[in-house]
Amino acid sequence: MSDYLPADRELAVADARVALVASRFNDAVVEGLVAGARRTLDRHHVAAAKILWVPGAFELPLAARKLAESRRFDGIVALGAVIRGGTAHFEYVAGACTDGLARAMLDTGVPVGFGVLTCDTLTQALERAGGGPGNKGEEAALAVLEMIVALRELDAQ
C-alpha cells in the first residue's frame, strides 16, 4: 500500500465525486493503475463515479478537461503509460499529455491527479503499476483526494 498519508490525518472525502480517465494504449499497465486508484478511493470511502477510457495518453487531457468542465466531479484521476521507443514520439506524447493535464487543472480549478507513467521500459511501467512496491495509480488518486480537501478548506476560509 502506498498510502503515505500520516496516520493521524483523516480525509473527509466520502461525499467527493471523482472520475477516472484511463488510456487503453498499454492497457496491461494501465489496468494496474486503475486498480490502484480504485483501491485508494475505496479505502477513503469514495465511489469513482465514472471511468472513461480513451485511446491513448495523448487524448487524456481533452477527456480530463471535459470531465472537469462538466462540474459533475470534484476531482479527476488521469491514468496512462507512455513507454520510450526508438523515436522522438515518446517526448511529444509525454510532454503534450503532461502539459495538457496541467492546463486542464489550472483552467478549470478541478484537481487532476497525474497517474501517467513515462518509463523507459515496459518492465519499469509494470513495476510502477503494482508489479513492484507501490502503485502510481494509488498515489494519483490520493493526491486528488488531498487536493479536494485542501480546496474545500480554502473555500471555507
Side-chain angles (χ1 to χ4, degrees):
M1 174 166 41
S2 66
D3 194 335
Y4 54 87
L5 203 78
D8 62 343
R9 174 78 192 248
E10 181 64 32
L11 291 176
V13 290
D15 64 333
R17 299 160 302 158
V18 177
L20 305 178
V21 59
S23 165
R24 282 195 316 269
F25 200 80
N26 291 317
D27 63 332
V29 174
V30 178
E31 287 175 5
L33 296 171
V34 169
R38 286 186 170 171
R39 276 193 302 275
T40 293
L41 296 175
D42 288 346
R43 195 166 39 250
H44 293 280
H45 311 291
V46 175
K50 173 109 180 135
I51 181 162
L52 178 64
W53 289 92
V54 299
F58 191 76
E59 291 78 23
L60 288 170
L62 176 60
R65 184 178 184 112
K66 286 294 203 179
L67 289 165
E69 286 175 340
S70 77
R71 298 294 177 207
R72 292 180 14 228
F73 303 101
D74 301 301
I76 313 296
V77 182
L79 304 165
V82 185
I83 300 171
R84 188 178 304 278
T87 69
H89 184 74
F90 170 89
E91 283 80 12
Y92 292 117
V93 173
C97 178
T98 302
D99 293 345
L101 290 171
R103 194 167 65 238
M105 178 170 51
L106 292 172
D107 289 352
T108 65
V110 175
V112 177
F114 189 77
V116 180
L117 303 178
T118 55
C119 298
D120 289 327
T121 67
L122 177 60
T123 301
Q124 288 175 342
L126 289 169
E127 288 172 356
R128 288 162 177 78
N135 181 303
K136 298 302 179 184
E138 289 181 2
E139 292 176 16
L142 184 59
V144 163
L145 297 179
E146 288 188 72
M147 284 303 298
I148 290 169
V149 170
L151 293 175
R152 286 178 176 177
E153 288 174 0
L154 282 172
D155 288 344
Q157 293 178 359

